[in-house]
Amino acid sequence: MARITLRQLLDHAAEKGYGVPAFNINNMEQLLAIMAAAQSVEAPVILQASRGARSYAGDVMLSKMIEAAEVMFPSTPIVMHQDHGNNEQTCYSAMLMGFTSVMMDGSLKADGKTPADYAYNTAITARVTEVAHDLGVSVEGELGCLGSLETGQGEAEDGHGAEGVLSHDQLLTDPEQAVEFVTATGVDALAIAMGTSHGAYKFSRKPDGDILAMNVVKEINARLPNLHLVMHGSSSVPEELQERFNRFGGKMPATWGVPVEEIQVGIKYGVRKINIDTDCRIAMAAELRRVCQEVPDEFDPRKFMKPSMDALTALCRSRFEAFGTAGQAKSLSAIPLATMAKRYRSGSLGPRPALSVAV
Ligand code: G3H
Ligand code: 13P
Ligand code: ZN
């Protein structure tokens, strides 16, 4: 199917009450494995590329791979999204490469490390939104910094994340400020800070409300019931995957991620996009390790990659099922970018925050 915008997909998800996992891609194997999962359960899919992915694969390769996916999986609606855009140039170049959605992450300065102030974040996000909407492209903003409520540390594990110690105020999105931010910027979706962080080492114990602040989701949803919320750092880092990774020579100390049941609660309170990369990485890496260990004379890369792809497909399928995304592709037909642009201009695609309620 022609690619669709994040806004179209999340509006549909809100109407039907489901969430959509956003999986990161860097190469053909990840793309094919994720698409196979989406097709097998008739789910729409959000594919996202970080700046790291864009420099790893190259913009031309990434955009041609998405074109190939559209041809190979004609019944699967695809959103192509820029993950953690650090400045305007990153977002505009993504739009030029055919991305239908961008994240302008103005919670950090353009270096991707220094926490930015509210005025900076609002101004840059509003500028990107104005341009994007004129082209029909969707925008995700972020308010608050990802990081651990246990340690007070931001996370720079993936090269994008606040450095050093952060206060609770920085680590938790302020619901009142969220209302102001979405009204001032007009973003289509808002990523929030609630104690999640990127990578495998999110929590040192099974998270409870002290370290995974689901109350932030509920408080924002109470004020902005129609706003699409985004949970970053939402890999679950399942024990079985840790165990499999370690069984074949990996060294991953025991750790906890975001339980799928908590994400399911979030979906009831407006979480529509759920970012997952680490689980995909571990699922693939565990199979690479297994083949290395079990078949030491193997040197055909396909023999390593195929089991990895199968593991990724199984993981993605289970997230599509858990979040209610499975089965939703058939009731979506692509709204062209030009139509989305016209709707933004005419105001008929009003900013969802306009539907906020006072609490
Ligand atoms: O934003 C976090 C994702 O896991 C992407 O990571 O920047 O290493 O590609 P990356
Ligand atoms: P994880 O590291 O938890 O998979 O989060 C990925 C993410 O938020 C990408 O933006
Ligand atoms: Zn993220």
Side-chain angles (χ1 to χ4, degrees), residues 78-341:
I78 302 171
V79 172
M80 188 59 216
H81 176 79
Q82 169 72 55
D83 192 22
H84 293 286
N86 63 319
N87 62 18
E88 288 151 295
Q89 287 84 342
T90 300
C91 294
Y92 300 152
S93 58
M95 294 177 210
L96 284 172
M97 293 308 295
F99 287 44
T100 54
S101 177
V102 295
M103 175 183 193
M104 177 59 239
D105 181 357
S107 70
L108 301 173
K109 293 266 184 72
D111 65 5
K113 296 183 169 80
T114 314
D117 61 33
Y118 177 77
Y120 170 93
N121 190 359
T122 310
I124 195 167
T125 306
R127 285 200 298 277
V128 169
T129 305
E130 196 181 349
V131 174
H133 284 182
D134 227 30
L135 299 169
V137 171
S138 315
V139 180
E140 173 186 336
E142 174 162 326
L143 187 63
C145 293
L146 297 189
S148 164
L149 293 168
E150 279 184 277
T151 63
Q153 295 284 333
E155 41 75 41
E157 182 178 297
D158 282 319
H160 183 103
E163 274 182 348
V165 177
L166 298 168
S167 68
H168 263 50
D169 281 356
Q170 291 173 299
L171 288 166
L172 293 170
T173 302
D174 173 353
E176 287 300 330
Q177 204 174 50
V179 177
E180 278 172 40
F181 183 78
V182 292
T183 309
T185 59
V187 290
D188 300 283
L190 181 69
I192 58 174
M194 48 183 288
T196 64
S197 54
H198 294 138
Y201 307 104
K202 301 180 193 303
F203 307 110
S204 68
R205 57 184 165 88
K206 188 171 189 295
D208 56 19
D210 290 341
I211 54 177
L212 176 62
M214 295 304 297
N215 63 309
V216 172
V217 173
K218 293 176 184 169
E219 286 173 31
I220 297 175
N221 182 249
R223 287 165 175 78
L224 299 164
N226 292 293
L227 177 65
H228 305 314
L229 299 178
V230 182
M231 281 175 68
H232 280 248
S234 289
S235 279
S236 302
V237 201
E239 209 177 331
E240 321 81 79
L241 275 189
Q242 295 180 45
E243 198 272 324
R244 196 161 175 82
F245 180 81
N246 286 336
R247 191 179 334 151
F248 300 107
K251 285 196 165 49
M252 180 175 288
T255 180
W256 277 263
V258 182
V260 167
E261 316 80 73
E262 298 288 358
I263 296 169
Q264 289 169 325
V265 171
I267 291 170
K268 293 201 173 79
Y269 291 90
V271 171
R272 299 288 162 230
K273 174 172 181 276
I274 301 106
N275 283 17
I276 297 174
D277 187 13
T278 296
D279 283 351
C280 303
R281 293 177 175 189
I282 303 172
M284 291 192 95
E287 292 316 299
L288 293 174
R289 290 196 163 282
R290 183 184 62 73
V291 179
C292 285
Q293 204 167 89
E294 286 183 348
V295 201
D297 62 343
E298 184 57 70
F299 53 80
D300 179 346
R302 293 170 298 185
K303 299 283 174 24
F304 294 88
M305 297 313 297
K306 192 65 181 69
S308 285
M309 292 166 73
D310 292 344
L312 178 53
T313 298
L315 174 91
C316 296
R317 199 184 294 131
S318 88
R319 296 295 181 272
F320 284 129
E321 277 160 355
F323 302 162
T325 337
Q328 301 290 350
K330 44 189 177 292
S331 54
L332 275 159
S333 51
I335 301 174
L337 281 179
T339 308
M340 294 299 287

